[in-house]
Every structure is written in structure tokens, then in C-alpha cells.
Amino acid sequence: MFGYDSVQELVEAAEKQQKRISDLVIEDQMIELGMTRDELTGKMIDNLQVMKEAVNEGLVSGRKSFSGLSGGDAFRLNEALKGDRMLGGTLFGKALVKAIAIAEVNATMGRICASPTAGSCGILPAVVLAAAEELGLSDEEAAAGLFTAGGIGMIIAAKASISGAEGGCQAECGSASAMAAAALVELAGGTPRMAANACAIALKGVLGLVCDPVAGLVEVPCVKRNAMGAANALAAADMALAGIESKIPVDEVISAMKAIGDAMSPKFKETAEGGLADTPTGRRLAEKIFGNENKKNKQQN
Amino acid sequence: MDVFDIIGPIMVGPSSSHTAGAARIGHIARELLQERPVRAHIKFHGSFARTYRGHGTDRAVVGGLLGMFPDDVRIRDSLAIAEREGLKVTFETVSLRDAHPNTVVIEATGESGRTLTVEGASVGGGNIVIRRINELKVEFTGEYNTLVIPHRDMPGAVASVTNILAYYNINIANMKVYRPDRRGEAMMVIETDQEISRELVEMLAKLPLVIKAMNIEKCRR
């Protein structure tokens, strides 16, 4: 359990105690898990290490997934980054490369750290690792960002959902992006209130996004949506750091995300029956991967 | 839920339900079999049946049967490893009644000829529920250290086990006794707060009213 029911509560406590959100999350989880601060940070740094390894694997291997739908794009984008051919600047470019690298590794059964899920595992690590490299942060500082993201994630999971099968992609990649935006603000030295605004702005940007994976696999559009989730987080963090506020408070945005998810047709909740999965090309790819066996099973069920 | 449920677990992709959960069910089947499996017939139901190849659910279950945890990168190559280690695997897609969409039935044979059927469901986020062992319906999640003990359905059988656990300072978190009918065999499923040593499992197995004692280690996160 987490001792805070809303982001507002978390921000007010941080302001009152003049602490960062990550400090409050760590203090809360020390009690919850019966671990010391060092033990908690150590475990989070282990997760950070897995995230770094996943990026490296994704960049060097260029491995295709079993379905053949994904693989090799992180390498391609990294060549553009290395050749100074990206429009958005180094931090932005690095975040996109890392997000795709991790999502591709996930698709090839490589080792990843779910954050908050496997399908969205590229977003938060990408922005935290890119920011750590560009801002010169230590592992311990980067891990603090992950605790901030984890605190936001626990609140979203309790108030709404972090699962595509329950709330669509807005709940899965959307939550990851909102968590990442809040973490980025803290890593860049912004206030807890700015972090909450970044969280709200990021989530607002993806409200209504459906989960429509081609052939039901975590590849199309999931790999590139991880990159978009990272881009969305960076945009939201930049706005919040400049002092822009979300007109709709973050907790109300989270509630809206839940209401939209509840009203969303099951076709758009990871069933591969709507959206991109139900396009002519999406259906053709599914048929090519699973053949007629897929159709046969569908009838049985 | 704690912060490491959100930032974590560490696992091989691509899906916590279709890969990590499937590996855990395979791993539990291996622990219940208590020996090296030489043959496994694996039946997939529902979403597992439709997408098991693309999600590597087949590789995950086999990896688990070979003793791999959900974060083991060898899961990717588990089918080849199984062949090398003399585990013959076959797959079938089935349609079960009243089963969770992500259900797998594992029919395993060990090197001594011992057979075991386990039915498990992957219920989301890598969490699982074991629903059946052989013909007996059960329900446990592997979130605790779990003792599975078939025993003679007679007075004193349960007490003989719990007395030993008490003596060794093992606290019981949850416990259930399953009895399909009054034909003499029942099964205890005991979830404990502490780990159970191999010696203690052997001691429980030797109790007069105990038929077998199997121990499933708590899921590593």
C-alpha cells in the first residue's frame, strides 16, 4: 500500500515538509517494505541497471522479434543521432532511441524492467536515462526519479488503471508517460507542484488513446508508442518547468482517464479486434503470423 | 502494491501475463513434479491459445519447466535447451469450460515415470493462480512459500504437519484442506511466512499420514 491517495496530497506534503516527491515515496516505502533507505535505493539501482542493459542490447543486437514485426529501428535511429541528423536536440533524440531500444528488446524476449508494465517498459527508463546522461546525474539521483515515478504510478494504479486490457493505451503508455514527466521535472530541479503539472499535461495529451496491437502482439504500434510516450513526457516536463500549469488538476485528469477507459469499447482494450489491429494490413499481418490456426481458435472461443 | 510492483518486476518480455506469468506456472509445475521432466504436453486455452507463439508463452512455460525464473534470458532459447536436455515437448490448443482466458494445462512426466497435471491461469501483471493439481481443484498464487501435501484423510494428519511447522517456528499465513470425496486421500495447501528448508520438506514427507510433501518457493521479485 501507498500512504498517499492523490497526487495533490503528495504535493502538499512535499511542500509542507520542503522535500522532494521521491523523498516522501522512499520514506513511505521504508515502512511498507520494512527496508532501509539504502536497501530501497540499492534495489531501485538494480532496476536502473537492467534498464541500461536493455538499452545496450537493443542498440547492438538489431534482433528481429519472432513475428518479424519489429526490430532494428533503434539501431537506425541511433545512426541518425550519431550523425547529428535529428531535429529535436540530443536529450530528445537520446530518449527516443532508448525508448525504441528497450521496447524492441521486450519484443524479442529480452530482459526488461516493467515500468509500469512490459508493454510500456521503454518510456520511463528512456527519459530518466537520457536525462541522467545529459544532466550528469549519478545512479542514485536517477533512482530518485524512479521513486517519484513509482509514487505517481501507485496513485494512478489505485485510482484508475495501468493496464491496456483495462483502460486502453492511455492507461498503459499514458500512465508511463505521466510518471516519466513527473520524474523528469524533479530530475531537472523543478518543484513538486511543477512535477504534478507535468504529470497532468502528459496524461491529458494521450487521453482516449486505445490499445490496438496488431495480432495481439506487443509490437505494432507499441514499440513506436513507447517513443511517442517519451516525447510526450519531455514536452510536458518542458512546459511545466517553464511555469505552465494544467487548468485541470492532475487528480481530475486521472479520474477522467478512468472514466474514458470504462466507457471504451472492449475492441480497444488489448483484444486486437479494433483500431490498427482491424485495418486491412493489420489483419493481413496477423494472418501471416498465425495463419489459419488463429481463425480456428477464435471460432472455438 | 508497493513501488516495486510499479517499477518492476524484472522479467523477459514481451508480456507480463503471457510471458512472465506463464514462466511462473511452468516453474511451479517443475517444483510439484520434484524431478527432471522428460516429457511435457502443454495445452493452451483462450488468449494463450490464440497468441502463444507471438508472446513466447510456449518458450516461457518450457523455460519454467526447466527451472528458469521469469527474468532468465535463456527462456528465449528454451525450446532448443529442452531438446538438448532430453525434455520432449508437445503443444495443443484447447477450449476449456469456465477457464480464465490465459490458462495453461501442463501434463508432465518426470525421469522416474512420475506424472503430474497442473492447470494454472495468468491473471495479469505476472500474477498467477494454480487451479488444479491432477484431478484436484485447488487455488493458490505462489506469492507465499507454499507447501502442497497430499495425505491420508484421517484424524491427526493435519496436526502432524502443523505441529512440526510450529516446532520449527514456521508461521502459517493461509491454509486449506482439499478433499475430492471420502475415498481416503486429501491435500493440504499451506502458505507460510518463512521459507521451508529441504530437510524440513523431507521430514514432513516421512510422516505416517503424509503421502508426499512438495514445496514451492515464494515467487522471486
Side-chain angles (χ1 to χ4, degrees), chain A residues 121-145:
Chain A
C121 70
I123 296 169
L124 173 66
V127 301
V128 168
L129 292 173
E133 282 176 22
E134 288 303 293
L135 305 175
L137 306 176
S138 68
D139 280 358
E140 203 162 323
E141 287 165 320

Side-chain angles (χ1 to χ4, degrees), chain A residues 1 47 63 106 108 110 112 114, chain B residues 1 3 7-8 11 13 53 76:
Chain A
M1 283 302 292
N47 285 346
R63 187 184 271 129
N106 183 55
T108 60
I112 54 96
Chain B
M1 177 174 56
V3 70
I7 313 298
M11 53 173 276
R53 281 203 195 91
R76 188 190 275 145

Side-chain angles (χ1 to χ4, degrees), chain A residues 1 3 14 21 31 58 80 125-126 158 161 178-179 183 194 200 214 217 227 242 249 262 265 288 293 297:
Chain A
M1 283 302 292
I21 290 176
I31 300 166
S161 168
M179 290 158 55
M194 286 174 177
V214 168
L217 302 178
D262 288 347
S265 157
K288 200 170 135 200
E293 194 183 341
N297 281 319

Side-chain angles (χ1 to χ4, degrees), chain B residues 27-78:
Chain B
H27 198 269
I28 286 175
R30 164 64 181 253
E31 289 191 296
L32 289 170
L33 188 63
Q34 291 184 304
E35 59 185 40
R36 196 173 67 86
V38 294
R39 168 139 183 65
H41 184 60
I42 296 165
K43 297 176 182 170
F44 291 118
H45 161 83
S47 174
F48 270 11
R50 284 202 291 278
T51 65
Y52 76 87
R53 281 203 195 91
H55 280 129
T57 311
D58 47 354
R59 295 162 199 260
V61 173
V62 171
L65 275 169
L66 290 167
M68 299 173 196
F69 284 101
D71 66 342
D72 194 325
V73 287
R74 292 175 305 160
I75 285 176
R76 188 190 275 145
D77 305 313
S78 70

Side-chain angles (χ1 to χ4, degrees), chain A residues 220-291:
Chain A
V220 177
C222 317
V223 170
K224 295 187 190 82
R225 275 208 190 135
N226 270 265
M228 302 316 290
N232 182 56
L234 279 160
D238 262 340
M239 282 188 250
L241 284 164
I244 296 176
E245 293 187 344
S246 172
K247 290 286 180 288
I248 310 293
V250 60
D251 293 298
E252 292 182 37
V253 178
I254 294 170
S255 299
M257 187 266 273
K258 170 154 172 50
I260 294 166
D262 288 347
M264 200 181 269
S265 157
K267 275 196 199 165
F268 304 123
K269 294 182 189 174
E270 213 180 329
T271 52
E273 286 167 358
L276 296 171
D278 195 33
T279 55
T281 302
R283 287 194 302 266
R284 187 170 51 74
L285 288 171
E287 183 116 343
K288 200 170 135 200
I289 296 160
F290 294 126

Side-chain angles (χ1 to χ4, degrees), chain A residues 1-2 25 29 32-33 35 40 43-44 46-47 50-51 57 63 66 106-116 118-119 124 146-147 149-151 153-154 157-158 162 179 215-219 290 293-294 297-298 300-301, chain B residues 1-19 44-60 70-78 92-96 101 123 125 221:
Chain A
M1 283 302 292
F2 187 45
V25 177
Q29 296 294 297
E32 169 70 20
L33 293 168
M35 291 165 81
L40 276 174
K43 193 165 173 192
M44 196 57 96
D46 290 346
N47 285 346
V50 171
M51 296 170 180
E57 193 192 329
R63 187 184 271 129
F66 296 126
N106 183 55
T108 60
M109 300 195 83
R111 199 156 168 263
I112 54 96
C113 178
S115 48
L124 173 66
L146 296 178
F147 277 109
M154 283 189 279
I162 54 166
M179 290 158 55
L217 302 178
V218 193
E219 299 189 54
F290 294 126
E293 194 183 341
N294 192 36
N297 281 319
K298 232 174 189 162
Q300 275 177 11
N301 285 284
Chain B
M1 177 174 56
D2 64 60
V3 70
F4 296 111
D5 292 321
I6 301 290
I7 313 298
I10 294 166
M11 53 173 276
V12 301
S15 160
S16 52
S17 55
H18 286 63
T19 319
F44 291 118
H45 161 83
S47 174
F48 270 11
R50 284 202 291 278
T51 65
Y52 76 87
R53 281 203 195 91
H55 280 129
T57 311
D58 47 354
R59 295 162 199 260
D71 66 342
D72 194 325
V73 287
R74 292 175 305 160
I75 285 176
R76 188 190 275 145
D77 305 313
S78 70
E92 186 187 352
T93 57
V94 295
S95 190
L96 304 171
V123 296
R221 289 250 183 203

Side-chain angles (χ1 to χ4, degrees), chain B residues 58-119:
Chain B
D58 47 354
R59 295 162 199 260
V61 173
V62 171
L65 275 169
L66 290 167
M68 299 173 196
F69 284 101
D71 66 342
D72 194 325
V73 287
R74 292 175 305 160
I75 285 176
R76 188 190 275 145
D77 305 313
S78 70
L79 300 181
I81 296 170
E83 202 173 311
R84 231 170 27 234
E85 294 190 1
L87 166 61
K88 199 168 173 301
V89 197
T90 46
F91 299 100
E92 186 187 352
T93 57
V94 295
S95 190
L96 304 171
R97 268 166 178 270
D98 301 326
H100 185 279
N102 298 333
T103 292
V104 57
V105 179
I106 303 168
E107 296 168 358
T109 307
E111 54 189 345
S112 76
R114 194 178 162 200
T115 60
L116 172 83
T117 302
V118 174
E119 179 179 322

